[in-house]
Amino acid sequence: MLSGLMNFLRACFRPKSDQYSHTSLDTGGRQDGLLWYKDTGQHVNGEFSMAVVQANNLLEDQSQLESGCLSLNELGPYGTFVGVYDGHGGPETSRFINEHLFQHLKRFTSEQQTISVDVIRKAYQATEEGFLSLVTKQWPMKPQIAAVGSCCLVGVICGGTLYVANLGDSRAVLGRAVKATGEVLAIQLSAEHNVCIESVRQELQSLHPDDSQIVVLKHNVWRVKGLIQGSARRLVKTALKEAANKREMRYSDLKKIDRGVRRHFHDDITVIVVFLDSNLVSGASSVKGPNLSVKGGGVSLRPNILAPCATPTEAGST
């Protein structure tokens, strides 16, 4: 499957040139029906491309690319942060992560004056604690918030090092060019947390010994609490075409199906492709450049039908 994935990457994204001038701050994307995309943009380590296909009535996937200063004091270090948050049961958790995780990372980077595994781990923990606090506050009025959640896949490029952190079943893949053949070698960087994997089920059962329903086999599929299974996502167009083929319909007809109904054919899909220029990666942590912030989009809905986001007061509790 990884070889097919890399074929798609080569088709959908190629760097424009060998030289980059970081003067463009264009953060906008384009909308084509339920597809939101940004074909190409520049970050301090190279170029990037993003695409989001919405299937749910409310987009449950959230994503972001942040480039420039990775701390609060604008003194560096400098690099690129990429996050993909695959929500389930609703958009609340993924939206919360999208608004808070990077800010926590900047705070801990400022305190330790560097990016490290410990900084990323603390940012994850602070974000989780903040959302649990929000759930506690909202649960009496909105009990369904206790059933939402999100995967969380993050990549940070800083000081010539690529850090990858993952909770859930999203996937980070590194494409490495083979000079001798011109091919691209696919290397999976993240480990998936999916209850179809026996070791993951055993870990959950050991962490929740008093809950006999923590993992349940439902319709021949293992699920957490009978609700969440999680599956590896295919890349955007590949996934849509496969969904169409399964229903024996044309890809062009699938694209005409509106959100909500579209969820019967496929889930929300998010892809971020990041090209790393080795000349820029090696020295980018100390080179000051403009800050860039891009967040994956979806179909705009009226404010009164969007799921609530954390208020400034609630965000401050983290």
Side-chain angles (χ1 to χ4, degrees):
M1 188 174 86
L2 289 181
S3 60
L5 183 150
M6 293 312 304
N7 288 334
F8 177 78
L9 288 181
R10 285 196 296 269
C12 73
F13 179 79
R14 294 181 187 275
K16 293 187 297 186
S17 67
D18 294 330
Q19 300 296 325
Y20 303 94
S21 57
H22 302 285
T23 57
S24 173
L25 292 180
D26 175 22
T27 61
R30 296 185 178 183
Q31 196 81 41
D32 179 9
L34 295 180
L35 169 66
W36 176 94
Y37 64 96
K38 182 173 178 58
D39 277 337
T40 185
Q42 294 181 344
H43 63 100
V44 297
N45 302 113
E47 292 189 353
F48 71 94
S49 179
M50 299 175 68
V52 179
V53 177
Q54 182 172 347
N56 291 286
N57 188 45
L58 293 175
L59 182 67
E60 295 184 351
D61 278 15
Q62 298 291 312
S63 56
Q64 65 186 130
L65 184 142
E66 311 284 346
S67 189
C69 185
L70 299 179
S71 66
L72 294 175
N73 55 27
E74 296 301 323
L75 298 177
Y78 298 90
T80 300
F81 172 98
V82 181
V84 175
Y85 319 121
D86 176 10
H88 42 255
E92 291 85 352
T93 311
S94 58
R95 288 181 179 175
F96 188 92
I97 297 171
N98 209 24
E99 294 298 326
H100 294 82
L101 179 59
F102 181 60
Q103 297 305 315
H104 285 307
L105 180 131
K106 291 175 69 176
R107 175 165 62 89
F108 290 118
T109 299
S110 298
E111 292 177 0
Q112 299 192 16
Q113 300 182 349
T114 186
I115 283 286
S116 65
V117 171
D118 185 56
V119 163
I120 297 172
R121 181 183 294 112
K122 286 182 175 180
Y124 264 69
Q125 291 173 340
T127 305
E128 182 178 41
E129 291 169 2
F131 186 72
L132 291 176
S133 176
L134 178 65
V135 170
T136 300
K137 294 176 182 178
Q138 292 194 0
W139 185 81
M141 300 166 290
K142 188 182 177 183
Q144 64 270 27
I145 196 173
V148 302
S150 180
C151 301
C152 184
L153 174 64
V154 162
V156 181
I157 306 105
C158 183
T161 300
L162 169 62
Y163 301 87
V164 176
N166 184 48
L167 290 175
D169 66 342
S170 298
R171 179 176 293 186
V173 178
L174 175 68
R176 177 174 292 172
V178 180
K179 293 183 179 180
T181 63
E183 296 180 340
V184 178
L185 178 65
I187 305 171
Q188 184 170 333
L189 300 179
S190 57
E192 296 165 26
H193 305 136
N194 188 310
V195 290
C196 70
I197 303 171
E198 184 177 359
S199 61
V200 176
R201 294 198 301 273
Q202 292 175 347
E203 180 182 4
L204 283 171
Q205 289 166 341
S206 65
L207 291 172
H208 304 273
D210 299 325
D211 189 349
S212 62
Q213 300 297 308
I214 188 63
V215 287
V216 177
L217 185 62
K218 187 176 182 180
H219 304 304
N220 293 319
V221 177
W222 286 101
R223 297 182 183 272
V224 179
K225 305 294 287 186
L227 298 173
I228 305 165
Q229 186 264 338
S231 59
R233 303 294 188 87
R234 298 178 182 270
L235 294 178
V236 176
K237 291 183 179 178
T238 305
L240 295 181
K241 290 179 180 178
E242 181 166 321
N245 290 337
K246 286 184 177 180
R247 294 301 184 98
E248 298 182 347
M249 63 188 303
R250 292 178 299 183
Y251 172 55
S252 57
D253 292 332
L254 176 63
K255 291 171 62 178
K256 298 175 183 177
I257 300 174
D258 202 1
R259 63 179 186 270
V261 177
R262 179 80 78 88
R263 182 61 181 86
H264 296 289
F265 297 83
H266 66 82
D267 201 352
D268 297 333
I269 302 170
T270 297
V271 176
I272 302 179
V273 179
V274 180
F275 172 72
L276 303 179
D277 184 294
S278 58
N279 296 321
L280 296 174
V281 169
S282 59
S285 65
S286 59
V287 178
K288 185 175 183 179
N291 292 331
L292 173 73
S293 178
V294 182
K295 296 196 175 183
V299 175
S300 298
L301 301 175
R302 297 189 306 275
N304 63 339
I305 61 173
L306 287 173
C309 292
T311 65
T313 301
E314 290 164 340
S317 66
T318 64

